[in-house]
Amino acid sequence: MAVREVEPVVLDLNRLENLAESGYYNPYSMFEWPESIEPGLPWMSESLTTLAGTEMWDELSREQQIALTRYEAINFFSLNIHGIRELLNEVVMRIHERAYAGVSEFLHHFIGEENEHMWFFAQFCLRYGGRLYPAQPALKADSVEHLSPVARELIVFARILIFEEIVDYYNAHMASDQSLPVIAREINRVHHQDESRHVAFGRMIFTSLLAQVAKRDAAEVPVVAAYLESYLQYSISTLYNPAAYRDAGIPDALALRRRAMEHPARIEAHEQVLKRTRKFLSKAGVGRELVK
């Protein structure tokens, strides 16, 4: 990690820091954890499941549909846990480096909040699902290992931003879905509340680092764009966990995963999930139009 070769990142984070302080809550006492969740309720919005909008969903029994919402909720929260662990590792290594001295105060809030998020996601999974799903294989970064230190820093924070924006799309929807158990809605609501600040920060630091990359070597920008397009696709693919299909009692899990990911209705759903992020990346100058 060659952070010392990165120019200092200067951002005005007063508003975000004030919001973090004024909106502080104690996650260890704010949630009311029921002994169990009443049977028959979905744990994830049915419209957000990986089979939604396809004949594959319609072919499931109602019991299988409900089971799939439960195991895909566990998968979604597990993805959050693994993603948070990765981003915490990256941020902790940088928090007191010279390049990030100007944003160090906000990063302390960020670390504290993300640690708490990881705790309540794990609580839900372990209390009601009895497990976490293992982390999925990471996307290889061979194509960007040769880039400058600042471009690699940009990719680190871009991955964090993309992860948070995708997660927030799901959180925002499920926070208001009255078909879900109260505890599921509350977890999604609280996370959405905090992630709005984290996404705002992520976009600011992404824009700052991208300006450094473009100034240093504009030829690196399309390489970054291509990697980020791959990362968007990779992130969507992690939602399709064959273990969740198997646990829901659905046969031929691997074949089902392939069919689902290639289904036109699912491709359209992916575009909706990524719409906001793609718009931001395109406006910033690293959209997929650079890749084609």
Side-chain angles (χ1 to χ4, degrees), residues 25-236:
Y25 58 89
N26 184 347
Y28 305 105
S29 61
M30 75 173 297
F31 294 108
E32 293 185 10
W33 300 96
E35 286 297 317
S36 61
I37 296 177
E38 60 186 282
L41 292 182
W43 294 4
M44 169 179 271
S45 297
E46 295 179 40
S47 63
L48 296 180
T49 62
T50 59
L51 301 184
T54 73
E55 63 278 7
M56 292 168 276
W57 172 263
D58 297 331
E59 291 166 358
L60 299 178
S61 67
R62 187 56 183 160
E63 290 74 17
Q64 287 176 317
Q65 290 176 346
I66 292 296
L68 184 60
T69 69
R70 293 178 176 179
Y71 290 111
E72 289 206 334
I74 297 300
N75 181 58
F76 176 65
F77 287 162
S78 296
L79 290 173
N80 275 269
I81 292 164
H82 301 311
I84 290 169
R85 191 163 54 217
E86 176 185 341
L87 70 84
L88 282 177
N89 182 53
E90 298 289 1
V91 171
V92 166
M93 289 194 299
R94 290 165 171 79
I95 191 168
H96 293 129
E97 290 286 346
R98 179 186 65 88
Y100 301 111
V103 298
S104 178
E105 185 72 18
F106 181 80
L107 290 179
H108 277 286
H109 289 295
F110 181 93
I111 289 169
E113 290 170 354
E114 291 294 356
N115 179 60
E116 291 166 352
H117 299 164
M118 185 164 54
W119 176 81
F120 61 64
F121 284 133
Q123 282 293 303
F124 185 96
C125 292
L126 297 174
R127 282 174 182 261
Y128 307 121
R131 62 177 299 185
L132 304 178
Y133 284 118
Q136 299 185 33
L139 177 68
K140 292 183 179 180
D142 298 350
S143 63
V144 294
E145 288 181 349
H146 67 284
L147 294 180
S148 65
V150 67
R152 296 199 299 274
E153 286 295 293
L154 172 64
I155 285 170
V156 166
F157 282 96
R159 285 167 59 108
I160 292 173
L161 175 62
I162 288 170
F163 162 74
E164 291 183 321
E165 293 216 358
I166 291 175
V167 164
D168 191 54
Y169 178 92
Y170 284 78
N171 291 151
H173 183 96
M174 289 191 280
S176 60
D177 186 345
Q178 297 299 310
S179 73
L180 302 183
V182 173
I183 184 62
R185 293 203 307 270
E186 278 297 287
I187 285 174
N188 281 287
R189 182 189 65 78
V190 170
H191 196 240
H192 172 57
Q193 174 183 298
D194 289 346
E195 288 304 277
S196 62
R197 294 192 303 276
H198 295 186
V199 167
F201 167 74
R203 289 187 169 201
M204 292 168 71
I205 199 166
F206 176 90
T207 301
S208 177
L209 290 170
L210 178 60
Q212 290 192 39
V213 173
K215 177 182 176 183
R216 178 192 176 279
D217 185 353
E220 290 189 321
V221 174
V223 181
V224 171
Y227 177 81
L228 296 185
E229 177 60 27
S230 297
Y231 192 73
L232 287 170
Q233 298 300 329
Y234 161 79
S235 298
I236 288 292

Side-chain angles (χ1 to χ4, degrees), residues 3-28:
V3 178
R4 290 175 178 81
E5 297 182 35
V6 179
E7 296 176 14
V9 174
V10 180
L11 304 174
D12 182 1
L13 298 176
N14 287 334
R15 186 181 70 86
L16 295 182
E17 289 171 1
N18 290 336
L19 286 172
E21 292 171 5
S22 64
Y24 179 75
Y25 58 89
N26 184 347
Y28 305 105

